[in-house]
Amino acid sequence: MDSNKLSNKGAKSSLSSRADRQNKTTITTVRKKPLTTYKVPPLTLRLSLTDKQKVQDWVEDLQENTNRKVSAAKLFRALTSMKDDIDNNKLLELMNDM
């Protein structure tokens, strides 16, 4: 497929997009990592839609029982602070069954 056919479909070369951005000071396409309120990049968790929904349901249940805003990040911070109270053998058994 030649470049004329591609441009007819809306494709642009990096050189043509450079001309579109004359007023901008940067020409790089590398995105800056977004930062959380703690000034660190967010942790990406790869979860299935079912698992994401289970986490969200848990967060909503916790939020109903408190007067504070609860998020998945707050849930994970709470879990990490409890790690010494969690039975690692039971946890590993659950992980091995997944």
Side-chain angles (χ1 to χ4, degrees):
M1 190 174 262
D2 67 11
S3 63
N4 195 18
K5 287 181 183 177
L6 290 174
S7 63
N8 288 339
K9 291 186 175 190
K12 292 184 179 182
S13 75
S14 60
L15 295 176
S16 66
S17 65
R18 187 183 277 185
D20 293 341
R21 293 182 274 156
Q22 287 178 352
N23 295 333
K24 294 187 178 181
T25 58
T26 60
I27 60 171
T28 182
T29 59
V30 176
R31 295 178 67 187
K32 293 181 182 177
K33 289 185 178 182
L35 297 179
T36 64
T37 55
Y38 294 97
K39 307 297 184 215
V40 295
L43 173 67
T44 301
L45 297 175
R46 293 187 180 122
L47 298 171
S48 69
L49 290 176
T50 302
D51 289 337
K52 285 181 182 182
Q53 187 59 54
K54 287 178 182 177
V55 170
Q56 187 58 41
D57 290 345
W58 191 10
V59 165
E60 289 172 6
D61 288 344
L62 292 170
Q63 188 152 327
E64 287 177 9
N65 296 320
T66 184
N67 293 327
R68 296 185 61 195
K69 173 83 171 110
V70 177
S71 65
K74 196 172 284 186
L75 171 60
F76 278 94
R77 284 195 302 275
L79 288 172
T80 57
S81 69
M82 296 178 53
K83 76 175 189 161
D84 293 335
D85 298 331
I86 296 174
D87 181 353
N88 283 337
N89 292 327
K90 179 70 175 168
L91 183 62
L92 290 174
E93 276 181 37
L94 289 169
M95 292 170 113
N96 287 334
D97 290 341
M98 290 179 178

